Amino acid sequence: VQLQASGGGLVQPGGSLRLSCAASGSIFSVYAMLWYRQAPGKQRELVAGITSDGSTNYADSVKGRFSISRDNAKNAVYLQMNSLKPADTAVYYCKAVIRTLTAIDKFDYWGQGTQVTVSS
């Protein structure tokens, strides 16, 4: 199983970006899909998550500005980021909880990270 993240870049304060992450491989079922971020010198933190039935949760710091969504047919998750601030600068990682075709249990899989830089 692989997770491929994309969509990061450089944006001015107040701007928007949309991150995408798609899972591929021998997938039986995808459960929760989440976005984390890690800024330089800081611990990785949960930004937003979405369950297989569409329930969402957000970090307080991004509520009202970020929106997570998913496309179950594509095993993909998206993060729409609006009103970006310099404090949002970080490497963003996607994570998916997946049961593969050959496994009985489900495991966490991580994407490679995509850099988001908010600066004027």
Side-chain angles (χ1 to χ4, degrees):
V1 172
Q2 290 187 331
L3 267 65
Q4 183 69 41
S6 62
L10 173 64
V11 63
Q12 292 187 341
S16 297
L17 281 176
R18 185 176 188 247
L19 306 183
S20 301
C21 177
S24 62
S26 301
I27 296 171
F28 177 78
S29 186
V30 181
Y31 300 91
M33 303 187 84
L34 308 99
W35 286 98
Y36 287 76
R37 68 185 180 188
Q38 187 166 20
K42 294 188 177 182
Q43 290 188 331
R44 190 172 297 189
E45 63 174 354
L46 175 64
V47 176
I50 184 167
T51 64
S52 56
D53 64 0
S55 297
T56 60
N57 66 285
Y58 298 91
D60 288 342
S61 59
V62 306
K63 281 181 181 177
R65 300 188 299 120
F66 290 12
S67 178
I68 189 170
S69 61
R70 65 189 286 170
D71 184 334
N72 291 332
K74 297 181 179 179
N75 292 327
V77 62
Y78 309 97
L79 187 68
Q80 178 65 43
M81 304 185 294
N82 300 326
S83 302
L84 282 161
K85 306 174 182 179
D88 296 317
T89 296
V91 178
Y92 283 71
Y93 298 90
C94 58
K95 185 180 86 172
V97 182
I98 295 173
R99 179 184 168 187
T100 65
L101 293 173
T102 57
I104 297 175
D105 210 342
K106 50 192 178 183
F107 298 93
D108 294 347
Y109 293 86
W110 289 86
Q112 83 283 12
T114 184
Q115 176 70 46
V116 172
T117 302
V118 184
S119 176
S120 55

